[in-house]
């Protein structure tokens, strides 16, 4: 099966700093990765995704880096704001599963706290 | 509504009681998913519908769990004879096209506590 884990369960940063959230995955066949943000009392919200043919993808204030050699990806948030406080999950669909690639395996999550 | 709507938002059930959790997906969305999220954990896949067809129920933890989407719109997740380990947030998600992970929208979840 797929194991998706995070190195740090909690991260506390000052407003304006950059944040880096890490994620490790176990299945080298995984070819698509998604980062979600989950605020307290809400459902996960899509942030950014990346395919395995890329090693970097940028969005608005967020960047995802993928290192397939060590099976690691990270989410970087620039100029972190209080509104970024949430739990962040990486998720991967089941690889090489034909029609079952809709099944997402989520990591445990990292709680990001932004101090004003 | 504009998003995925779930009800009830909070449910306290006595052990052994049956519960029904409702999901109203975004209008016109073909795909519908149910996930279970235990406290402090990431969501775990339960089941998947494409329109009214339940194409995958491999994540349902036991035969006490049953899901349906009879008209291809609203879905209900039913849990019979609830047990304490069923306490979790049950998340519903929908997507406008078949298996488009990038455009999956999650509801706010139904928080179930079994006492």
């Amino acid at each position: 099966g797929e194991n998706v884990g995070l190195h740090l369960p909690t991260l506390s940063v000052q407003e304006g700093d950059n944040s880096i959230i890490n994620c490790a995955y176990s299945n080298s066949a995984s070819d698509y990765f998604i980062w979600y943000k989950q605020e307290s009392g809400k459902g996960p919200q899509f942030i950014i995704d990346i395919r395995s043919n890329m090693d970097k993808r940028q969005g608005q204030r967020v960047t995802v880096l993928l290192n397939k050699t060590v099976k690691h990806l990270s989410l970087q948030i620039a100029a972190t704001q209080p509104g970024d406080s949430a739990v962040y999950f990486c998720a991967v669909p089941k690889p090489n599963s034909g029609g079952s690639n809709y099944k997402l395996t989520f990591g445990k999550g990292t709680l990001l706290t932004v101090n004003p | 509504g504009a998003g995925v709507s779930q009800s009830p938002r909070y449910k306290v059930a006595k052990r052994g009681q049956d519960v029904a959790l409702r999901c109203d997906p975004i209008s016109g969305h073909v795909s519908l998913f149910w996930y279970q999220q235990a406290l402090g954990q990431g969501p775990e896949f339960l089941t998947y519908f494409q329109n009214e067809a339940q194409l995958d129920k491999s994540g349902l933890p036991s035969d006490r769990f049953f899901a349906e989407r009879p008209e291809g719109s609203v879905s209900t997740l039913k849990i019979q004879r609830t047990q304490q380990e069923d306490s979790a947030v049950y998340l519903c998600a929908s997507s406008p096209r078949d298996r488009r992970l990038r455009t999956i929208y999650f509801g706010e979840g139904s928080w179930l506590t079994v006492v």
Side-chain angles (χ1 to χ4, degrees):
Chain A
E2 175 69 57
N3 289 319
V4 182
L6 297 175
H7 295 303
L8 294 173
T10 62
L11 177 64
S12 183
V13 301
Q14 290 298 123
E15 182 178 358
D17 287 352
N18 296 333
S19 302
I20 299 176
I21 300 169
N22 298 302
C23 179
Y25 61 96
S26 61
N27 194 329
S28 57
S30 295
D31 58 5
Y32 180 58
F33 307 87
I34 307 172
W35 280 100
Y36 285 94
K37 172 186 181 183
Q38 187 173 26
E39 296 177 87
S40 180
K42 296 189 177 181
Q45 178 185 7
F46 173 91
I47 303 174
I48 192 168
D49 58 357
I50 189 168
R51 295 204 173 273
S52 59
N53 60 351
M54 304 172 67
D55 53 19
K56 180 179 180 179
R57 190 168 190 200
Q58 288 185 293
Q60 187 176 13
R61 283 201 306 117
V62 294
T63 300
V64 56
L65 300 178
L66 175 62
N67 186 329
K68 294 180 289 293
T69 302
V70 295
K71 292 181 286 188
H72 179 272
L73 68 158
S74 65
L75 176 71
Q76 300 179 1
I77 304 174
T80 315
Q81 302 169 1
D84 295 327
S85 294
V87 178
Y88 289 82
F89 294 96
C90 63
V92 298
K94 187 175 179 181
N96 300 328
S97 55
S100 299
N101 62 347
Y102 50 81
K103 275 189 209 179
L104 287 171
T105 298
F106 285 79
K108 189 173 182 178
T110 292
L111 173 61
L112 174 66
T113 301
V114 181
N115 302 308
Chain B
V4 177
S5 178
Q6 294 188 244
S7 62
R9 288 278 285 127
Y10 304 95
K11 175 70 178 178
V12 178
K14 291 185 177 179
R15 190 171 55 182
Q17 185 179 356
D18 296 349
V19 300
L21 308 176
R22 176 188 170 105
C23 173
D24 281 89
I26 295 173
S27 179
H29 278 199
V30 170
S31 298
L32 185 144
F33 310 84
W34 283 97
Y35 281 79
Q36 180 190 56
Q37 185 173 22
L39 187 64
Q41 303 293 322
E44 293 191 357
F45 172 84
L46 292 178
T47 187
Y48 162 62
F49 289 86
Q50 181 180 331
N51 295 308
E52 70 279 2
Q54 188 176 21
L55 300 187
D56 190 334
K57 55 181 180 179
S58 62
L60 296 177
S62 76
D63 58 7
R64 296 185 296 104
F65 287 70
F66 172 75
E68 61 182 4
R69 193 186 186 197
E71 298 179 358
S73 177
V74 171
S75 177
T76 303
L77 176 67
K78 297 179 180 178
I79 309 173
Q80 297 177 323
R81 305 180 304 281
T82 52
Q83 300 179 6
Q84 284 191 317
E85 59 262 32
D86 300 334
S87 296
V89 178
Y90 291 87
L91 295 164
C92 178
S94 69
S95 176
R97 288 166 56 185
D98 182 33
R99 302 192 286 264
R100 287 270 294 180
L101 294 172
R102 202 170 195 271
T103 52
I104 285 181
Y105 298 90
F106 283 86
E108 295 189 333
S110 289
W111 295 59
L112 173 65
T113 302
V114 181
V115 298

